[in-house]
Amino acid sequence: QGRFVNNIIAANGGDGISGANGRNMTITNNIIVSNGGYGVAVDQAPSPLLADNDVWNNQSGSENGNYLGCVPGEGSLSVDPLFMDEANRDYRLQEESPCVGIIQ
């Protein structure tokens, strides 16, 4: 279905990344934060390959809005990425960001 690699997906009204199923879906080295829906949502099995992402503070309306139908993969985080100025859409990372090195 698709490859999502080296992206910052932040502050949109819906899911950060969504798909009908996770077959052939690879989601690695992304920062997916503060979206209006889930961070990563998959409606049907199998789960996509997930690794080395920061998925944090997504607002699906549920207790944990970060993942639906899948789980964080190896090396994944769920922390504030410390953008320079998120309110003004400056998504560069601060020097002390825990996400330095995620986007390659």
Side-chain angles (χ1 to χ4, degrees):
Q1 282 204 15
R3 290 177 42 87
F4 301 89
V5 181
N6 294 325
N7 298 287
I8 294 175
I9 303 170
N12 71 60
D15 295 332
I17 296 174
S18 63
N21 69 56
R23 178 170 286 122
N24 299 323
M25 187 182 284
T26 300
I27 304 170
T28 57
N29 299 97
N30 299 286
I31 298 173
I32 306 168
V33 299
S34 302
N35 294 293
Y38 285 96
V40 180
V42 179
D43 294 334
Q44 303 169 10
S47 182
L49 169 65
L50 286 119
D52 302 312
N53 299 293
D54 180 23
V55 182
W56 177 76
N57 195 38
N58 295 284
Q59 307 297 317
S60 70
S62 72
E63 185 175 307
N64 180 356
N66 292 327
Y67 297 95
L68 173 67
C70 56
V71 295
E74 185 177 328
S76 293
L77 304 171
S78 186
V79 297
D80 184 342
L82 300 177
F83 293 130
M84 288 292 222
D85 187 359
E86 186 173 5
N88 290 306
R89 298 183 178 190
D90 182 350
Y91 297 117
R92 293 176 296 149
L93 298 175
Q94 296 177 28
E95 210 172 282
E96 64 274 9
S97 169
C99 297
V100 170
I102 284 184
I103 303 289
Q104 301 181 11

